[in-house]
Amino acid sequence: MDTEFTQYQQLKQEVNYHNHRYHVLDTPVISDVEYDRMLATLRQMEAEHPGWVTPDSPTQRAGAAPADRFEKVRHPRPILSLANAFGAEDALAWYERIRKLDARVEQASFIVEPKIDGLSVVLHYRDGVFVQGATRGDGEVGEDITANLRTIRSIPLRIPVGGQAAQAGETFSGLPLFSTTSHKPGPTHQPPAYLVVRGEAFIPNREFEELNRRLEEAGEKTYLNPRNTAAGSLRQLDPSLTAQRPLTLLCYQIVYSEGGQVPTSQWEILEWLRGLGFPVTDVARRFESLEAAVTYTETWDQRRDELGYEADGMVIKLDDLSMAAELGFVGKDPRGAIAFKFPAREVTTRLNEIGVAVGRTGVLTPFALLEPVEIGGVVVERATLHNFDYIAEKDIRPGDRVLIKRAGEVIPYVIGPLEGARTGVEQVYVPPQYCPTCGQPVEHFEGEVAWYCVNAACPAQVIRNVEHFVSKGAMDINGLGIKIVEKLIETAAIKDVADLYSLSREDILLAVTRKDRKAKSDPPGKIAENLLAAIDQSRSQPLSRLITALGIHGVGEVMARDLAAHYPSLDNLAAASAEELQTIDGVGPNIATAIVDWFGRERNLAVLSKLKAAQVWPGQQITPGNDQPRPLDGLTFVVTGSLPTLSRDDVKEYIEAHGGKVTDSVSKKTSYLVLGENPGSKHTKALSLGVPVISEEQLRGLCQPTNP
Ligand code: IVH
């Protein structure tokens, strides 16, 4: 029995050791299967000897029975907060303030640590055993979330204590117990019999994305951000739910200790905690001057994504903790440390309204009209809502408080609503059934997410249509900017693209506002003449350009060239059947149908006959440059997520214009996956097939002409 008990204790220690290697050090030395087997044996032994079970047994992590409510815990010392600095100047002002109070600050060293955007937790160890864990609460009293914290694998359930064998240096089965770091608790710092440690609990970014991906696949509601999710997970009354969330933590402070010695500098504390088996950041650094500390801090603003978790800044701390303690605090903020905040990337604001824009192809795109809010130095009033499915999935409602993200090059987008902030009057959003611009019914196509306004006379579409018609890859009519186009439509000078060819000098003069005039040397008369000349010149554009200019759904520059090579004129193309069209390489059933549909619409036919009458009716010819090699020739692309600047249609056209092909699904034949924000499962597939993943910027790079 005795030997079995010893075996049991050894096994318990061994499991804890491997747990620490896996969850804290990230360097497991046994396989998951072996670990599970050890844990199973431990469970078996405990089932046979229930009296042996202690709170530090790894079997106790799984999650205890649900509680009715959380008990209150009074913290042994106040759990303090931090004052903020929003830049080097603020940091310097902080330094000046404390220097005036204590001249020793001039010689002081500073520690810089990441300011983890998680939840403060307070961990109690008695005789080396984790006995209680609490939330911060109001700083004086928190909530007892021991059972939940126990499920976090990186929290040690047992730490070495002074009286016991110096376990930190001890070896187990030939392996050092808490090793891989040279910072063991030194003999001068006997681990106290009662130790209270503070850390920040959080969900790492990758785990958060993975969690959301799984939820999305299961058709369940996704979480807003790692912080909210971590907070919700820790405050679950049912610990088995907490156990399912990928929480972890990093420790940085000793709140209280009794019966032992603890280090007196922050730098030593970090090393000491690490030596005891606590997870501790490895990006903390020590500096001999504030200047150096600030410089280091600022480098992390750009590199924050490398941390792997959300950090809202860095904390600059006086290394000498007795000096820091003597400086006292202001309210709840200790004078000895300051939070150097990064510009925010996520903020909340009110979603005043959901607007809907109509694109060239008639796609209705919802966008958020927001209570103006600053994110990272920019005032944001509008944000992307992606599409109507996204709004429905996230249940985003007008009037909601919403979380907005703006990071790097990404266009600001709505992450989702803060449902807890609802007042009850917010109504579920219903997408418009009629086009917000022209009032015609909208349509939905099988297999597509988007809703369309199919009325080609819709003014919103006409503007975009004209814009597209005159663009570089189409009829290339120089000088016809969006402002003039809007004016021309407003003054009824044009109702469709064909009307461009019957514009008079007066029409243009009327549309050219003073604002559009570049310089004095460009009087309205001159602008009008240039424009008329450019319009006239476009009559000689090749057929492929005109086909592109029509803006048929799915027909970009490359497809237009292929079509122009098959049909001598628009008359022939207009008469082609879907079956016939599909014999052309690259024309699938969707595009064939789109083409047939386009030529089947009365309004389009009217535009065509106007174009013909205006002698905008090119015959077949070889487009110059048709057989010139292009940068993306022979390459196949798949696009996922929303790109920083190019819409789905735009990126397709862009790739095709450079000789590439765009397909819907990732396969081994895919040359590149172009990745945007909020990618779908295509990303995972590409990774598993080893398909290279590139950004919009890298795609543009591929299209740059290479030097011969
Ligand atoms: S030190 C006296 N260090 O930031 C100690 N706090 O805005 C005061 N936090 O409530 C805290 N990472 O929850 C400290 N490395 C870090 C931190 C950190 C995150 C949190 C903590 C605190 C809040 C202050």
Side-chain angles (χ1 to χ4, degrees):
M1 149 86 183
D2 250 11
T3 51
E4 205 193 336
F5 182 60
T6 316
Q7 266 176 10
Y8 165 73
Q9 281 192 309
Q10 270 193 1
L11 182 60
K12 190 163 80 175
Q13 241 180 48
E14 206 173 343
V15 174
N16 273 335
Y17 165 74
H18 289 297
N19 178 73
H20 176 255
R21 290 215 62 123
Y22 187 94
H23 291 284
V24 179
L25 304 177
D26 249 348
T27 50
V29 285
I30 56 169
S31 69
D32 292 1
V33 177
E34 283 171 283
Y35 180 85
D36 291 343
R37 206 177 293 143
M38 285 164 76
L39 198 61
T41 312
L42 203 66
R43 278 218 177 85
Q44 180 63 34
M45 288 173 126
E46 289 181 353
E48 284 162 22
H49 309 277
W52 289 357
V53 188
T54 50
D56 67 333
S57 169
T59 58
Q60 300 306 298
R61 288 192 189 270
D68 296 334
R69 62 187 182 91
F70 296 116
E71 299 294 332
K72 297 277 182 248
V73 181
R74 179 162 289 277
H75 301 304
R77 290 262 188 283
I79 300 302
L80 299 174
S81 183
L82 287 172
N84 290 329
F86 295 98
E89 264 179 38
D90 285 358
L92 201 67
W94 164 71
Y95 177 85
E96 284 304 325
R97 281 198 302 277
I98 59 171
R99 192 182 60 91
K100 280 191 189 129
L101 292 169
D102 189 337
R104 289 178 301 165
V105 166
E106 274 169 37
Q107 271 77 51
S109 316
F110 299 89
I111 307 301
V112 177
E113 299 166 20
K115 185 173 173 329
I116 305 141
D117 198 7
L119 289 323
S120 246
V121 293
V122 184
L123 312 171
H124 299 239
Y125 290 81
R126 283 201 190 269
D127 296 324
V129 178
F130 172 62
V131 288
Q132 190 172 55
T135 61
R136 176 172 185 272
D138 62 4
E140 303 284 336
V141 176
E143 286 178 320
D144 184 338
I145 52 164
T146 313
N148 290 345
L149 289 171
R150 226 191 271 290
T151 69
I152 301 181
R153 307 272 165 167
S154 49
I155 292 185
L157 295 180
R158 169 173 276 280
I159 56 167
V161 280
Q164 297 179 1
Q167 291 182 15
E170 201 181 59
T171 61
F172 191 91
S173 317
L175 297 162
L177 194 57
F178 289 117
S179 67
T180 73
T181 163
S182 53
H183 322 300
K184 290 164 200 146
T188 46
H189 305 305
Q190 289 286 334
Y194 180 35
L195 179 70
V196 183
V197 172
R198 176 177 179 180
E200 198 81 355
F202 60 94
I203 295 180
N205 291 341
R206 198 186 299 161
E207 273 80 355
F208 175 74
E209 280 155 25
E210 173 65 19
L211 177 69
N212 261 355
R213 203 186 53 72
R214 281 204 312 267
L215 287 171
E216 203 173 325
E217 263 177 26
E220 282 176 49
K221 220 162 167 240
T222 54
Y223 291 110
L224 278 188
N225 63 14
R227 206 201 114 89
N228 290 16
T229 315
S233 309
L234 277 180
R235 298 202 69 261
Q236 286 289 341
L237 285 167
D238 181 355
S240 70
L241 292 178
T242 312
Q244 292 165 24
R245 308 282 167 75
L247 286 157
T248 185
L249 94 164
L250 289 170
C251 296
Y252 53 79
Q253 193 195 356
I254 292 173
V255 175
Y256 183 74
S257 74
E258 251 177 47
Q261 279 170 306
V262 297
T264 54
S265 85
Q266 178 63 12
W267 188 241
E268 285 177 299
I269 294 267
L270 293 176
E271 298 192 343
W272 190 74
L273 286 174
R274 198 195 324 266
L276 288 177
F278 288 99
V280 172
T281 173
D282 53 13
V283 306
R285 295 287 181 276
R286 184 174 169 200
F287 298 95
E288 301 312 317
S289 74
L290 180 78
E291 222 178 23
V294 167
T295 306
Y296 179 68
T297 297
E298 285 175 332
T299 61
W300 279 102
D301 181 6
Q302 301 304 317
R303 298 173 59 195
R304 57 207 272 198
D305 288 329
E306 290 172 35
L307 290 171
Y309 49 81
E310 291 296 321
D312 53 346
M314 301 295 271
V315 188
I316 304 180
K317 300 178 177 177
L318 272 178
D319 188 26
D320 184 336
L321 294 177
S322 56
M323 195 192 295
E326 279 171 40
L327 281 168
F329 32 89
V330 186
K332 283 188 175 168
D333 306 333
R335 286 203 179 87
I338 190 131
F340 190 107
K341 299 287 286 252
F342 295 147
R345 300 202 286 193
E346 282 183 24
V347 298
T348 66
T349 188
R350 186 175 186 273
L351 170 63
N352 287 334
E353 219 182 299
I354 294 180
V356 176
V358 186
R360 171 174 65 80
T361 53
V363 181
L364 304 192
T365 312
F367 58 91
L369 289 160
L370 308 164
E371 201 72 49
V373 63
E374 198 205 292
I375 315 184
V378 175
V379 176
V380 174
E381 290 177 68
R382 276 172 179 242
T384 307
L385 283 164
H386 305 298
N387 54 54
F388 295 114
D389 279 7
Y390 183 80
I391 299 178
E393 261 165 42
K394 305 266 170 180
D395 186 16
I396 299 167
R397 307 179 184 186
D400 265 340
R401 262 211 100 67
V402 286
L403 196 59
I404 309 294
K405 182 157 187 172
R406 175 182 169 269
E409 298 301 294
V410 181
I411 296 170
Y413 69 94
V414 176
I415 302 180
L418 299 162
E419 286 174 8
R422 285 201 176 134
T423 60
V425 301
E426 300 82 2
Q427 300 288 312
V428 171
Y429 177 73
V430 184
Q433 292 176 320
Y434 299 94
C435 170
T437 308
C438 70
Q440 294 291 308
V442 298
E443 278 183 31
H444 192 66
F445 299 109
E446 186 74 23
E448 278 191 52
V449 173
W451 285 85
Y452 289 88
C453 166
V454 290
N455 168 24
C458 170
Q461 283 186 61
V462 175
I463 293 175
R464 304 275 160 237
N465 260 320
V466 175
E467 221 184 349
H468 173 74
F469 189 86
V470 306
S471 67
K472 275 222 154 343
M475 299 302 269
D476 194 13
I477 302 177
N478 219 334
L480 204 51
I482 178 90
K483 285 266 149 36
I484 305 182
V485 173
E486 279 173 1
K487 257 285 162 21
L488 288 171
I489 291 169
E490 210 180 289
T491 56
I494 55 172
K495 291 196 180 62
D496 56 44
V497 295
D499 290 338
L500 287 173
Y501 295 93
S502 51
L503 277 178
S504 69
R505 196 167 181 274
E506 287 65 39
D507 292 332
I508 298 174
L509 284 178
L510 206 65
V512 180
T513 57
R514 294 191 72 80
K515 251 203 258 160
D516 297 311
R517 289 161 55 187
K518 281 187 215 113
K520 284 203 185 83
S521 56
D522 244 359
K526 181 93 168 107
I527 294 175
E529 268 158 42
N530 287 347
L531 201 49
L532 285 172
I535 292 172
D536 187 42
Q537 221 170 23
S538 74
R539 285 190 168 90
S540 53
Q541 290 289 10
L543 176 59
S544 62
R545 292 281 197 134
L546 182 56
I547 297 174
T548 304
L550 297 178
I552 302 167
H553 191 48
V555 180
E557 287 176 46
V558 174
M559 180 70 60
R561 272 195 214 107
D562 290 346
L563 292 171
H566 274 80
Y567 298 98
S569 81
L570 278 185
D571 292 308
N572 308 75
L573 178 59
S577 70
E579 292 74 39
E580 192 188 317
L581 284 163
Q582 281 184 65
T583 60
I584 300 171
D585 201 26
V587 180
N590 288 346
I591 292 180
T593 312
I595 296 171
V596 173
D597 280 358
W598 196 92
F599 285 102
R601 282 196 206 110
E602 223 165 275
R603 184 185 152 86
N604 294 339
L605 295 179
V607 171
L608 287 180
S609 65
K610 270 156 85 177
L611 284 172
K612 198 173 199 174
Q615 282 133 36
V616 190
W617 209 252
Q620 190 178 35
Q621 62 191 99
I622 299 303
T623 317
N626 202 12
D627 38 39
Q628 297 245 322
R630 283 168 297 161
L632 305 185
D633 276 341
L635 299 178
T636 309
F637 292 79
V638 174
V639 184
T640 183
S642 44
L643 301 179
T645 70
L646 294 174
S647 73
R648 245 341 129 77
D649 286 339
D650 290 345
V651 70
K652 189 163 191 280
E653 277 180 27
Y654 184 81
I655 291 171
E656 287 174 355
H658 290 90
K661 276 215 165 79
V662 179
T663 62
D664 277 339
S665 55
V666 179
S667 75
K668 276 199 213 123
K669 289 193 190 140
T670 309
S671 318
Y672 292 98
L673 177 81
V674 186
L675 180 72
E677 274 277 321
N678 287 325
S681 56
K682 291 174 190 171
H683 185 206
T684 333
K685 177 124 189 241
L687 292 177
S688 69
L689 291 176
V691 170
V693 177
I694 58 170
S695 64
E696 177 185 318
E697 203 186 328
Q698 287 168 313
L699 169 69
R700 289 182 190 277
L702 286 179
C703 296
Q704 293 310 307
T706 43
N707 292 324

